[in-house]
Amino acid sequence: MMESGVPLCNICGEQVGLINTNGEVFVACHECNYPVCKTCLDYEIKEGRSACPRCATPYDENEQESTNHATMASHPSTAEDVGVHARTVSTVSTVDSEYHDDTRNPIWKNRVESWKEKKNKKKKKESKTVVQEAAEVPPEQQMEEKPQLADAAEPLSRIIPVPKSQITPYRIVIIVRLIVLCLFFHYRVTNPVESAYPLWLISVICEIWFAFSWVLDQFPKWSPINRETYLDRLSARYEREGEPCQLAAVDFFVSTVDPMKEPPLITANTVLSILAVDYPVEKVSCYVSDDGGSMLTFESLAETSEFARKWVPFCKKFSIEPRAPEFYFTQKFDYLKDKVQPSFVKERRAMKREYEEYKVRVNALVAKAQKTPEDGWTMADGTPWPGNNTRDHPGMIQVFLGHSGVHDIEGNELPRLVYVSREKRPGYQHHKKAGAENALIRVSAVLTNAPYILNLDCDHYVNNSKAIREAMCFLMDPQVGRDVCYVQFPQRFDGIDKSDRYANRNIVFFDVNMKGLDGIQGPVYVGTGTVFNRQALYGYSPSNLPTIHKSSSSCSCCCRRKKPAKEKDLAEVYREAKREDLNSAIFNLREIENYDEHERSLLISQMSFEKTFGMSSVFIESTLMENGGVPDSANPSTLIREAIHVIGCGYEEKTAWGKEIGWIYGSVTEDILTGFKMQCRGWRSIYCMPLRPAFKGSAPINLSDRLHQVLRWALGSVEIFLSRHCPLWYGFGGGRLKWLQRLAYTNTIVYPFTSLPLIAYCVIPAVCLLTGKFIIPTLSNVASILFLGLFLSIIVTGVLELRWSGIGIEDWWRNEQFWVIGGVSAHLFAVFQGFLKMLAGIDTNFTVTAKAADDGEFGDLYIFKWTTVLIPPTTILIVNLVGVVAGFSDALNKGYEAWGPLFGKVFFSFWVILHLYPFLKGLMGRQNRTPTIVVLWSVLLASVFSLVWVRINPFVTKDDPSALVQNCIDIDC
């Protein structure tokens, strides 16, 4: 936002500048302090716009004269210089070379000069009209409006740093721990254990990797921040009474595939919460992507659109939260509290009855869909359902609700609701969720083209109706939102047991790691609950590009050839001017007259856009409309045909979709890859944590489903590691990704590989107990201090992290436990599966066999599903339990002098067992109902093994029988 304390001009993006050597910043408007530099002010005055663009206050005449004099003295007043300085805009890196010749000059610039003159004349007339209207306002009314305008000019959010009393000790302990680690490794490397050299070597390698992983995880948390938004200022600035609402439009994306696995009722609740959001209805459009082409999803949306006519006005009338009916009616709270409307109780009961009837209709559709007819499904008019073959069907679009269509029961307009099922044909790669999201980008651009996009999973509903306004406090702030590609909200979940046995809430990640990333370049994209800037998804760079320090010839989107300073400045000027010219030329194509076809093709450079965005002129026009909207001359019937065209299965062939624009292909975790590409271009993201969670969803709470979810995430990280987008080598040429941010992205792709040293380190204690060896030699005084310092630094780091983040110790401990559980199971399989898939082309799937669960609360928690992912942690548990029994048996056999060395070995084994305890409970089944057979077999095996170990110890040195005979001197031997 600021550089050296000098604000940035809101017209050109450069620093406003100083007017004297005392450091006084130039001010164009003394009423609202709207930041405008001298050059832009001079240009505005020459164009006839003599009033502030924010508050419409005329500029001071003395200021105008001094500004004109200063500008003429310091800059040549050429029309070309002024014109190119008028606007700073972003550009598409993939098509940059298409519009310039070898000398970086725009090849089409001269062809639009005549049209630009017409455009400038039109702007002059509009500005004069604005000034006249401002002059006609009585002075008394102007005085009343000035305080309101001043409030509206204030920032819409602010950064709240973590108090120094909390963050400074935390940073000191990190440095101290790093120093202790260096001393510790010096001791470990220089003091090998000769009697157990292989075990010692493996343990040292594992410890070095753990330290490396800690550095990757810890240093991106160096500068955590919190943020606060001001919704009242947002309304004062963009929702002034008596004026049209200026809030930006938002397109919501909801993705679903299989209605049998993703119940239609859950998807319907997500859609209803979107339609009832606290935002102007004409600014909201909801697109539901049915990637399975299911008639059940289609019919359930038809029922949902009908129920929305009653549900939406009810929500807005009584300001209820949350606005998903299933979760509103099932929450346990006093709904009469703070409700003063006498009709609320009656209407709530009626609405609950309406919802129960709606559920019955939807469940009847689900029951009917259990058995597919032999001839396939047919629609109401008797025609076959186009999506009967889920892998071979045409594209389908249905608009259920719209601003000019069906109204609610009170006669008010409803947000637009659109059903979309993209075309599927055999032989085409459809790229799963990423491909579905890209299809929604294109179809929404053709139909509504909102400048911002919010994507949600079908099981994540809007829990805070003001969540969109929270995001707009960042995206619509002229100073904050200039280079923001997305606003990420934390994920919160319903239906998780109080102890959160398998760390489903991910509190440490969302409340610690993401806050730390917000203080660098922004949080990573986590797949849902994210509000995007549409221009960032198109592959454009932010308007205020950082300086490129390095030259590189790599294939990165950020890389460009290093140029001399003068040539680089000239290229930057042309790049800034290019977007305005393209926008003018393409969007107003129908207004340009007296041009033949050849001149038009040269004017637009259409082919370069088609190579990037595909063969759709309507969609290409929409990509250049920074503020969104559909052209006034657009024909609705034409738009529908074009929307069907852009969701065709072959539309993305030979384009940049999935490579440089949209959701990026190449990984099952397309979210991490997409956010990484954006931030490599120079964008930053923002983490928004309102007091009331913005969105809530559901999570797999039983052990097997949770491990398979983690397996999918880890597999995506391995795929990114083995691809060209690996943060270890991608994007260095542009220099726009900060180093701490690169460390964070590196951590997101290398963490699955920690499974290999983690498994080794979990098995070593058991091996030590079974063999009588140990990985640590006899400790000296210095070594004891090092070990004590290391353990203390680990504990203090955790305590201070809990202090500044505000999370509880139970959440932190659950995260530590599941780090071990997931590391020795899902992460290990992800590493092998990733290498098989990326290097050998073998796609391995691990089957899950489900067993019936008991009815009741959290019944799913006790479902046992056998899968191969469970084998490694089960083996580690058994080996460590056997090792503990063997260790104690051996100590009993040798006497009291063996108990000292036993303590250290047993401590490490108990550390492993304690971390795997939630996994052990998951294996045993329902809480407090451990199967008797499991207890009996465990006791029996432990007893038998103990007796056998005492009688026959394979690790005890065998004595010579003859020597024993000679030593026997009496019967007691």
Side-chain angles (χ1 to χ4, degrees):
M1 292 188 299
M2 304 281 287
E3 296 181 7
S4 305
V6 182
L8 300 177
C9 174
N10 273 354
I11 297 178
C12 68
E14 302 294 336
Q15 289 189 356
V16 170
L18 307 178
I19 58 176
N20 54 35
T21 58
N22 296 329
E24 295 180 5
V25 179
F26 172 76
V27 178
C29 177
H30 295 278
E31 294 294 335
C32 66
N33 293 329
Y34 187 67
V36 178
C37 66
K38 295 180 180 180
T39 307
C40 291
L41 178 61
D42 180 56
Y43 177 72
E44 293 287 301
I45 294 173
K46 286 186 177 182
E47 292 294 314
R49 294 185 287 272
S50 58
C52 175
R54 172 184 284 174
C55 63
T57 302
Y59 294 125
D60 187 8
E61 294 181 359
N62 296 329
E63 190 68 40
Q64 295 179 21
E65 293 177 0
S66 61
T67 301
N68 292 337
H69 178 73
T71 304
M72 292 176 64
S74 59
H75 298 285
S77 58
T78 60
E80 183 179 0
D81 290 340
V82 174
V84 297
H85 188 73
R87 187 182 181 193
T88 303
V89 288
S90 56
T91 181
V92 180
S93 59
T94 56
V95 297
D96 190 49
S97 61
E98 298 290 338
Y99 306 102
H100 298 81
D101 56 17
D102 295 335
T103 60
R104 306 292 298 172
N105 292 322
I107 60 177
W108 39 261
K109 186 176 180 61
N110 295 330
R111 300 188 181 100
V112 295
E113 289 298 331
S114 61
W115 184 88
K116 286 181 65 177
E117 291 178 1
K118 299 177 182 179
K119 180 181 177 182
N120 292 335
K121 290 180 181 179
K122 185 177 181 180
K123 286 184 177 179
K124 289 181 181 180
K125 293 180 181 179
E126 292 176 353
S127 62
K128 291 181 179 178
T129 304
V130 172
V131 174
Q132 292 176 359
E133 291 177 354
E136 293 175 358
V137 178
E140 296 80 3
Q141 186 175 350
Q142 292 183 4
M143 294 296 293
E144 294 177 357
E145 291 179 354
K146 283 181 181 179
Q148 298 179 359
L149 294 173
D151 293 339
E154 294 180 353
L156 303 180
S157 64
R158 72 184 180 101
I159 295 176
I160 305 177
V162 176
K164 291 184 177 180
S165 60
Q166 297 179 3
I167 196 63
T168 302
Y170 177 70
R171 292 171 177 170
I172 293 175
V173 171
I174 290 178
I175 300 299
V176 171
R177 182 172 172 180
L178 193 61
I179 296 173
V180 172
L181 275 174
C182 295
L183 297 175
F184 171 78
F185 285 124
H186 179 267
Y187 167 78
R188 291 285 282 141
V189 172
T190 56
N191 292 271
V193 181
E194 300 295 341
S195 60
Y197 191 84
L199 292 178
W200 168 85
L201 182 61
I202 293 174
S203 65
V204 170
I205 294 174
C206 294
E207 290 163 2
I208 292 175
W209 178 266
F210 294 151
F212 171 71
S213 300
W214 174 79
V215 170
L216 290 180
D217 183 65
Q218 205 68 34
F219 275 88
K221 306 174 187 175
W222 189 260
S223 302
I225 62 173
N226 298 295
R227 294 182 186 270
E228 183 179 5
T229 57
Y230 302 104
L231 301 183
D232 53 343
R233 297 179 185 176
L234 179 74
S235 298
R237 181 178 299 183
Y238 296 108
E239 292 183 293
R240 297 176 182 174
E241 188 176 355
E243 298 181 8
C245 177
Q246 300 298 321
L247 289 174
V250 181
D251 287 339
F252 289 76
F253 292 175
V254 179
S255 300
T256 183
V257 180
D258 188 352
M260 295 303 172
K261 296 180 180 179
E262 301 165 339
L265 194 61
I266 299 299
T267 304
N269 271 271
T270 300
V271 172
L272 289 170
S273 67
I274 293 173
L275 298 178
V277 73
D278 183 9
Y279 208 71
V281 294
E282 69 275 6
K283 306 289 185 177
V284 176
S285 299
C286 178
Y287 292 84
V288 180
S289 172
D290 177 19
D291 219 28
S294 172
M295 188 174 180
L296 174 57
T297 303
F298 180 86
E299 291 186 338
S300 65
L301 276 184
E303 292 287 350
T304 302
S305 63
E306 184 63 27
F307 177 72
R309 298 181 60 244
K310 306 170 186 176
W311 175 251
V312 171
F314 171 76
C315 293
K316 295 186 176 181
K317 181 178 180 180
F318 299 107
S319 301
I320 67 170
E321 296 283 1
R323 300 191 176 182
E326 181 69 22
F327 301 94
Y328 170 70
F329 288 122
T330 56
Q331 61 183 348
K332 298 177 182 179
F333 75 109
D334 183 11
Y335 63 85
L336 297 178
K337 186 179 180 180
D338 299 330
K339 297 297 181 182
V340 296
Q341 297 93 330
S343 62
F344 171 69
V345 176
K346 181 180 179 180
E347 293 193 29
R348 185 183 185 277
R349 291 174 180 171
M351 184 53 60
K352 187 174 183 180
R353 185 170 57 253
E354 291 282 352
Y355 178 64
E356 293 297 333
E357 295 175 356
Y358 161 75
K359 286 175 62 176
V360 170
R361 294 193 296 269
V362 174
N363 289 332
L365 293 174
V366 176
K368 180 182 177 182
Q370 296 295 326
K371 186 177 180 180
T372 305
E374 295 181 0
D375 298 333
W377 298 105
T378 57
M379 294 185 288
D381 58 357
T383 57
W385 171 249
N388 279 324
N389 188 343
T390 58
R391 298 182 179 180
D392 187 3
H393 64 82
M396 297 177 283
I397 295 177
Q398 175 65 44
V399 180
F400 286 106
L401 299 174
H403 308 319
S404 59
V406 180
H407 291 183
D408 63 23
I409 57 175
E410 296 182 359
N412 300 319
E413 292 184 353
L414 288 169
R416 183 177 282 105
L417 175 61
V418 184
Y419 169 88
V420 179
S421 181
R422 57 181 174 143
E423 183 184 15
K424 293 283 188 71
R425 300 297 181 192
Y428 287 91
Q429 179 60 262
H430 299 102
H431 302 290
K432 300 181 180 179
K433 181 182 176 181
E437 296 286 352
N438 284 339
L440 287 182
I441 293 178
R442 297 190 294 270
V443 71
S444 64
V446 172
L447 297 180
T448 52
N449 196 31
Y452 301 107
I453 294 171
L454 191 153
N455 80 301
L456 289 173
D457 289 342
C458 62
D459 59 348
H460 277 69
Y461 64 91
V462 181
N463 183 65
N464 184 350
S465 62
K466 297 184 182 295
I468 313 306
R469 296 177 180 271
E470 298 275 356
M472 291 301 118
C473 286
F474 303 106
L475 293 170
M476 295 191 68
D477 192 316
Q479 295 185 352
V480 177
R482 296 169 57 87
D483 58 349
V484 175
C485 56
Y486 60 83
V487 175
Q488 178 66 63
F489 291 90
Q491 292 185 19
R492 305 301 188 203
F493 302 97
D494 289 317
I496 299 176
D497 60 303
K498 295 180 180 179
S499 63
D500 192 14
R501 182 186 299 178
Y502 306 123
N504 283 279
R505 293 189 177 94
N506 286 327
I507 295 295
V508 173
F509 175 75
F510 287 113
D511 289 24
V512 179
N513 297 53
M514 297 287 267
K515 284 184 180 180
L517 292 178
D518 198 17
I520 311 173
Q521 198 172 343
V524 298
Y525 168 40
V526 296
T528 184
T530 315
V531 184
F532 284 97
N533 183 337
R534 187 184 284 267
Q535 295 292 308
L537 285 171
Y538 287 156
Y540 292 108
S541 299
S543 54
N544 52 342
L545 291 175
T547 304
I548 300 176
H549 299 285
K550 299 179 180 181
S551 61
S552 175
S553 58
S554 66
C555 58
S556 167
C557 65
C558 305
C559 301
R560 281 191 172 87
R561 179 175 55 88
K562 188 174 182 180
K563 306 170 187 177
K566 187 173 182 180
E567 182 184 351
K568 182 170 66 176
D569 294 340
L570 186 61
E572 189 73 18
V573 166
Y574 284 135
R575 181 163 59 248
E576 292 171 359
K578 184 180 66 176
R579 272 292 298 280
E580 181 179 7
D581 294 335
L582 289 174
N583 192 5
S584 304
I586 295 183
F587 176 62
N588 297 279
L589 175 62
R590 298 180 182 86
E591 300 178 9
I592 300 177
E593 299 177 355
N594 302 324
Y595 285 94
D596 57 27
E597 293 299 327
H598 177 68
E599 291 175 328
R600 290 194 182 193
S601 62
L602 292 177
L603 178 66
I604 302 174
S605 300
Q606 185 79 12
M607 290 181 60
S608 59
F609 279 97
E610 292 172 353
K611 292 178 182 178
T612 303
F613 296 112
M615 302 288 291
S616 173
S617 59
V618 176
F619 176 74
I620 290 174
E621 290 181 14
S622 69
T623 62
L624 295 172
M625 300 170 64
E626 271 190 283
N627 298 321
V630 179
D632 296 334
S633 58
N635 187 345
S637 60
T638 304
L639 292 182
I640 291 294
R641 289 197 299 269
E642 197 67 24
I644 293 292
H645 170 59
V646 297
I647 61 174
C649 58
Y651 183 83
E652 296 182 356
E653 288 191 347
K654 299 181 180 180
T655 66
W657 285 102
K659 303 180 185 69
E660 298 295 335
I661 62 177
W663 271 260
I664 306 302
Y665 305 148
S667 171
V668 294
T669 53
E670 71 286 335
D671 47 1
I672 297 293
L673 195 53
T674 302
F676 173 66
K677 292 275 286 188
M678 291 181 182
Q679 294 188 340
C680 279
R681 296 189 186 105
W683 293 95
R684 67 187 180 99
S685 55
I686 283 180
Y687 196 51
C688 182
M689 294 182 64
L691 294 178
R692 180 179 179 85
F695 310 99
K696 280 190 175 183
S698 58
I701 63 174
N702 67 70
L703 177 61
S704 304
D705 288 345
R706 173 68 167 142
L707 288 178
H708 273 268
Q709 182 188 58
V710 175
L711 170 62
R712 183 174 59 85
W713 295 343
L715 176 59
S717 297
V718 175
E719 289 174 344
I720 296 175
F721 176 81
L722 298 175
S723 70
R724 72 183 185 93
H725 293 115
C726 178
L728 293 174
W729 52 73
Y730 182 85
F732 278 97
R736 298 169 188 166
L737 193 67
K738 297 184 178 180
W739 277 103
L740 288 180
Q741 193 78 6
R742 187 176 295 279
L743 279 181
Y745 274 111
T746 302
N747 187 43
T748 62
I749 64 157
V750 301
Y751 76 89
F753 297 96
T754 307
S755 59
L756 301 175
L758 184 60
I759 285 182
Y761 214 74
C762 289
V763 173
I764 285 176
V767 176
C768 291
L769 287 168
L770 292 172
T771 60
K773 311 294 184 181
F774 201 38
I775 59 175
I776 299 175
T778 303
L779 296 179
S780 62
N781 292 333
V782 176
S784 301
I785 294 175
L786 282 178
F787 274 88
L788 182 62
L790 180 61
F791 281 111
L792 286 178
S793 64
I794 293 173
I795 294 172
V796 174
T797 303
V799 170
L800 294 178
E801 194 172 272
L802 295 179
R803 185 185 176 195
W804 67 254
S805 64
I807 65 174
I809 190 171
E810 183 179 7
D811 293 318
W812 178 84
W813 174 238
R814 290 302 186 201
N815 181 78
E816 292 296 311
Q817 286 181 313
F818 199 79
W819 175 74
V820 176
I821 296 172
V824 299
S825 57
H827 296 172
L828 177 66
F829 278 82
V831 170
F832 286 105
Q833 187 176 358
F835 275 98
L836 287 175
K837 182 178 180 180
M838 301 301 293
L839 301 181
I842 302 174
D843 193 0
T844 305
N845 294 319
F846 302 101
T847 58
V848 179
T849 304
K851 306 299 181 185
D854 296 332
D855 295 333
E857 188 177 13
F858 305 121
D860 290 343
L861 180 64
Y862 310 106
I863 294 178
F864 183 77
K865 301 180 180 180
W866 178 251
T867 172
T868 50
V869 178
L870 302 177
I871 295 176
T874 305
T875 305
I876 291 174
L877 267 174
I878 294 175
V879 168
N880 276 276
L881 289 172
V882 169
V884 170
V885 174
F888 278 103
S889 302
D890 189 54
L892 289 172
N893 191 34
K894 289 184 176 180
Y896 68 90
E897 66 275 0
W899 288 93
L902 176 66
F903 174 76
K905 303 173 186 177
V906 172
F907 171 79
F908 284 107
S909 275
F910 271 116
W911 179 90
V912 175
I913 296 171
L914 193 62
H915 278 77
L916 292 177
Y917 177 69
F919 177 84
L920 183 62
K921 291 187 68 175
L923 285 181
M924 288 183 176
R926 189 161 180 80
Q927 190 176 13
N928 300 326
R929 294 185 184 179
T930 303
T932 306
I933 191 66
V934 174
V935 178
L936 291 176
W937 273 104
S938 299
V939 174
L940 180 61
L941 289 176
S943 302
V944 171
F945 188 85
S946 299
L947 294 173
V948 172
W949 191 269
V950 173
R951 183 65 184 87
I952 306 172
N953 192 342
F955 295 100
V956 175
T957 303
K958 304 300 181 182
D959 295 325
D960 188 2
S962 60
L964 293 176
V965 173
Q966 293 178 0
N967 292 331
C968 282
I969 59 176
D970 55 27
I971 193 170
D972 293 335
C973 72

